[in-house]
Amino acid sequence: MKRLATLYTQSSQEIRQPRTIATCAMLAAVAIVLGYFSIELGSSLRIGFSSIPNRLVDYLFGPVVGAYFGGLLDIIKYIIKPTGTFFPGFTFNAMLAGLICGSILYGRKLTLWRVFLAKFLVIMICNVFFNTLWISILYGKAFMVLLPVRLFKNLVMWPIDSVILFMVGSFLERAGAFRLLKLKKSSG
C-alpha cells in the first residue's frame, strides 16, 4: 500500500513539470492523428491504435498524469471529431484506463508480461464491462447481447495491442527517447 501511495505522489508531482506537459501535448497530437485511422465496425465496435500514446503517458508519468491525460484527450478528441453521442462514462473509462496502466507500468521496467497484464485489466474492466454498459444505456441494446461480441473483439485485440505497445515502447527506450525524459527528471 505504501508503494501505491508513493507511486501516486510521484505521479502527481510529474504533472507540474513543463517537460511532462510538452510530452503529453506531443503524444496527444499523435493520438489524435492515429484516431483518424481507426476502423468503425458499427456503432458498438471500433478498432483503433490511438490508445498507444495514452499508454506511453501512463508508463512515463504514472497514474495521476495518465488519468488526467486520458480524460482531457477523450474530450478533445470528441470536440475535434465527434463520433456518436458524447457520454461522460467514456471519459471516465479513459481516466480509469490511465489509472490502471499507470499503476502497473510507471516506474518499472517495460516488459511484455507487464504490458499484457495492464492491457488485460483495461480490456476487462474498461472495454468489456464499462464500455458495454455505456453502449447498452446509450443505444438501448441489451447488455448481454452486446457482451459476447465485445468480449471476443477485445480478446482478439488484446495480444495485438499488447505486442504493438511493447514494441513501440521498447523501440523508443532503445532509441533513447525515454532516457532523455528520465535524465531531465533527476535534474529538474
Side-chain angles (χ1 to χ4, degrees):
M1 196 67 178
K2 187 176 181 180
R3 188 220 178 287
L4 197 59
T6 303
L7 183 84
Y8 280 79
T9 302
Q10 288 174 344
S11 179
S12 66
Q13 291 169 353
E14 293 276 8
I15 208 161
R16 298 182 190 130
Q17 302 298 322
R19 77 177 172 297
T20 301
I21 296 167
T23 303
C24 287
M26 288 186 289
L27 288 171
V30 171
I32 290 167
V33 170
L34 287 175
Y36 284 103
F37 297 105
S38 65
I39 302 164
E40 302 277 339
L41 301 172
S43 64
S44 61
L45 197 58
R46 179 176 43 197
I47 299 172
F49 302 100
S50 64
S51 69
I52 293 170
N54 293 58
R55 302 301 71 96
L56 292 175
V57 167
D58 304 337
Y59 169 64
L60 290 170
F61 305 116
V64 175
V65 176
Y68 280 124
F69 181 81
L72 288 172
L73 186 60
D74 182 71
I75 294 167
I76 291 168
K77 284 164 114 179
Y78 183 78
I79 291 169
I80 291 172
K81 182 186 174 194
T83 54
T85 305
F86 179 78
F87 186 70
F90 297 124
T91 304
F92 167 78
N93 283 8
M95 295 178 78
L96 183 59
L99 277 174
I100 292 169
C101 286
S103 297
I104 294 170
L105 300 176
Y106 180 60
R108 297 180 177 181
K109 182 173 173 26
L110 189 67
T111 65
L112 185 58
W113 299 114
R114 194 165 282 132
V115 171
F116 266 105
L117 173 63
K119 292 294 283 182
F120 181 76
L121 290 174
V122 167
I123 280 172
M124 296 309 289
I125 296 168
C126 299
N127 299 359
V128 173
F129 178 73
F130 279 119
N131 271 357
T132 305
L133 179 64
W134 307 145
I135 291 168
S136 174
I137 290 169
L138 278 171
Y139 298 108
K141 296 180 181 178
F143 181 87
M144 293 309 290
V145 170
L146 294 170
L147 189 63
V149 172
R150 295 193 49 75
L151 180 63
F152 177 75
K153 176 257 181 185
N154 279 282
L155 288 177
V156 166
M157 290 303 295
W158 171 44
I160 296 167
D161 286 347
S162 297
V163 168
I164 289 171
L165 175 60
F166 177 73
M167 289 173 59
V168 169
S170 296
F171 172 78
L172 291 172
E173 189 78 59
R174 283 192 308 276
F178 298 157
R179 185 177 60 241
L180 291 173
L181 289 169
K182 290 175 186 172
L183 179 66
K184 290 183 181 177
K185 281 182 192 179
S186 62
S187 65

